[in-house]
Amino acid sequence: MPKKLVLAVIDGLTPAMLERALGEGRLPALSFLREAGSYVRGTTTFPSVTPVCLTSIATGAHPDAHHIPHLVWYHRRERRVVEYGSSFSAVRAAGARRSIRDSVFAMTHEHVSPQALTAFEALDDAGLETAAINFTCYRGRTRHPIKLPLRSGRNRWYEAAYGPRRFFFFNLFESDVTGAPLAIRSRPEGSVDAYAATIGRWLVTRDGFDFLVFYLPDYDYASHISGPDAAMQALERADAAVGELVSAAGGPEAFLDRYAIVVCSDHGQMHVDRVARLQDSFDDLGVFTGRRGTVADGSDVVVTASNRSGMVYALDGRPGRELAERLDGAPGVDLALFLEDGAAIARKERTEVRFAPDENGWAVSGDAGILVGDEYPNAFERVWCALACPNAGEVIVSAAEGWEFEDLGGRHHAGGGSHGSLLAGDSTIPMLAAGFDDPPLPRDARITDLAPLALSHFGVQPPPTMRARVSAGV
Ligand SMILES: [Zn+2]
């Protein structure tokens, strides 16, 4: 029987910040794992925002297969905007109750493609004990009744969720009574990660899982406020949360005797100090942004923006190119991305590169220099798969360095950190692995490698929807 596997996700952690903190000796648990294991700088998916990235972790797929396009997007069939929680103001502007329903229930049960098998489903089916703490893409095979009673209303409210066998989600669902307290109001002091650490300790002490996704969101929260290089205390607390698992197992050596572990983030962050309103480039048209749960009747375009990426949807049938050309020279816009005649086009300051997959990799024409190089890691695959998502806009916008797009509630993180773009700062993630016989991740590791890695670790063949570059038994 292979070792049990932990996947710990520290939201928003950049490789530079992790490497600096390790160098300064501030992270005892992660330092031990780094010395015992292997480390690479990997690449996440695009747009590089949490709902998209966590869904890629769970499904081993990009948005073309898993169907989560952004933090905020236009639901064509329901003719409304889905807002997963860009900010409290954005949630209020979209309708708080609907926003909570979308982020807690509908994302996993309605928006993630049923065809995109999650690692929890695949490992549940193989008879393994799966577990997740606070992880938003949690779809599994076990029914968990909701713990807190919620009023029913206009929208059908869920009475239960389908998750991993052992399932803990912000006090809404708790498959076991652990006694862990959760105090959302003391979030700046790391209360969500402390809740996760208490449950993680409980699970390790009871040998309660084969596969655990251990999600730590407090670092991202702190880094948005203070910037990508300044949230050291939050990172120390995330290290302490991982350290709780290690000490619960009886210390470092005992932990690695029983467990293999991957510690990674879901996306990076970059410093931002300037704010643009993406919808301003379309203000001679009827623009719908989705306030208060209204539907988009009579509008020409929908603009959804959050953090460092945005979407433009054409409701009047106008081509993506026309919308993209309106963004030439617009403040904050680095790349306007759209499809035309079966190819993807990246447009930057009126120059374009056109590409599509072919049998040799990518057929590329135009100014290939736009997307080649370290500035935009794994760009062709990520852009192609983002545009091929059926819920994406006709145009996807990637923000320039230092810029952020105002969200539905008019909020931003200027003076702090943000993410979402195709640029390396938002896209590069640390991936640290320990307890494996051989380093399990290649040098060009991708976030979509994690789910197939977990399946292969347990001898389960990854399904075709996963972009598996490894197979079971190899
Ligand atoms: Zn974030």
Side-chain angles (χ1 to χ4, degrees):
M1 186 66 192
K3 289 180 187 177
K4 292 152 194 313
L5 178 61
V6 176
L7 174 57
V9 181
I10 302 174
D11 196 311
L13 178 60
T14 63
M17 184 68 178
L18 175 61
E19 291 160 20
R20 192 183 111 210
L22 288 171
E24 293 174 3
R26 289 165 175 271
L27 310 175
L30 297 181
S31 291
F32 162 73
L33 297 175
R34 171 72 191 91
E35 275 153 36
S38 57
Y39 172 74
V40 295
R41 286 181 165 208
T43 305
T44 190
T45 190
F46 174 71
S48 47
V49 291
T50 293
V52 186
C53 299
L54 296 191
T55 308
S56 286
I57 289 176
T59 60
H62 290 299
D64 59 322
H66 69 52
H67 296 185
I68 302 297
H70 195 6
L71 191 48
V72 54
W73 56 280
Y74 179 62
H75 197 306
R76 289 186 175 90
R77 189 167 44 77
E78 298 181 5
R79 305 199 331 278
R80 67 174 184 102
V81 164
V82 174
E83 166 58 76
Y84 292 134
S86 300
S87 65
F88 286 119
S89 305
V91 164
R92 236 187 345 256
R97 183 185 157 76
R98 187 192 289 261
S99 211
I100 292 165
R101 184 187 185 278
D102 279 335
S103 58
V104 175
F105 300 103
M107 178 163 64
T108 284
H109 290 97
E110 299 172 29
H111 305 158
V112 175
S113 167
Q115 271 77 49
L117 210 63
T118 69
F120 303 116
E121 290 169 323
L123 293 173
D124 281 345
D125 291 345
L128 291 145
E129 186 95 26
T130 55
I133 304 173
N134 293 345
F135 192 68
T136 56
C137 185
Y138 54 73
R139 201 178 62 206
R141 303 294 192 202
T142 304
R143 184 179 189 276
H144 298 276
I146 192 162
K147 207 184 131 208
L148 302 175
L150 291 163
R151 282 181 303 120
S152 60
R154 206 151 38 93
N155 299 307
R156 186 174 65 87
W157 198 267
Y158 282 74
E159 293 170 355
Y162 287 82
R165 293 265 286 278
R166 291 184 184 269
F167 178 44
F168 304 87
F169 193 83
F170 298 101
N171 266 13
L172 273 178
F173 302 99
E174 290 181 332
S175 60
D176 301 88
V177 178
T178 65
L182 177 65
I184 288 285
R185 279 195 205 91
S186 48
R187 182 83 196 264
E189 291 86 55
S191 60
V192 175
D193 289 1
Y195 168 77
T198 305
I199 294 169
R201 165 174 278 283
W202 190 94
L203 285 171
V204 168
T205 305
R206 281 156 188 79
D207 204 12
F209 61 87
D210 295 305
F211 174 58
L212 167 66
V213 177
F214 186 59
Y215 173 58
L216 303 172
D218 285 340
Y219 180 81
D220 186 70
Y221 184 87
S223 180
H224 272 296
I225 295 167
S226 50
D229 305 310
M232 187 62 86
Q233 286 183 334
L235 180 51
E236 288 171 342
R237 288 193 295 262
D239 180 82
V242 175
E244 285 284 325
L245 306 183
V246 174
S247 71
E253 281 74 26
F255 179 79
L256 288 186
D257 282 346
R258 279 166 58 197
Y259 296 94
I261 182 167
V262 176
V263 182
C264 65
S265 69
D266 55 340
H267 54 73
Q269 277 208 14
M270 295 170 78
H271 179 74
V272 287
D273 49 24
R274 304 177 80 180
V275 184
R277 281 165 46 93
L278 195 58
Q279 61 267 39
D280 288 352
S281 294
F282 306 93
D283 59 9
D284 59 317
L285 304 174
V287 182
F288 178 74
T289 56
R291 293 186 74 88
R292 297 261 160 72
T294 47
V295 293
D297 291 336
S299 303
D300 302 312
V301 296
V302 182
V303 178
T304 65
S306 179
N307 287 268
R308 292 180 26 77
S309 56
M311 300 264 169
V312 187
Y313 298 80
L315 301 187
D316 56 2
R318 76 182 70 211
R321 165 173 295 283
E322 193 191 318
L323 297 170
E325 287 175 354
R326 283 169 165 265
L327 294 165
D328 290 342
V333 174
D334 180 30
L335 301 167
L337 309 158
F338 59 99
L339 294 171
E340 187 177 69
D341 303 330
I345 294 173
R347 182 176 173 93
K348 178 172 182 153
E349 291 163 4
R350 295 180 176 77
T351 58
E352 292 184 355
V353 58
R354 171 184 294 265
F355 55 96
D358 71 4
E359 61 279 7
N360 302 316
W362 295 97
V364 183
S365 61
D367 190 345
I370 294 177
L371 287 186
V372 174
D374 296 339
E375 209 180 350
Y376 303 105
N378 196 23
F380 291 152
E381 177 180 300
R382 296 164 70 215
V383 171
W384 180 263
C385 294
L387 287 168
C389 175
N391 295 319
E394 272 67 30
V395 178
I396 304 179
V397 184
S398 180
E401 185 165 355
W403 284 85
E404 190 174 39
F405 298 124
E406 187 181 287
D407 72 22
L408 185 56
R411 300 305 297 265
H412 54 76
H413 303 96
S418 187
H419 52 91
S421 82
L422 196 67
L423 284 167
D426 292 346
S427 306
T428 309
I429 56 173
M431 300 173 102
L432 198 169
F436 296 88
D437 291 339
D438 298 304
L441 290 160
R443 298 240 39 107
D444 68 338
R446 299 167 193 170
I447 201 162
T448 50
D449 292 334
L450 293 167
L453 184 159
L455 269 57
S456 303
H457 177 78
F458 292 106
V460 175
Q461 196 66 43
T465 49
M466 291 187 182
R467 290 182 88 84
R469 298 193 290 167
V470 290
S471 60
V474 174

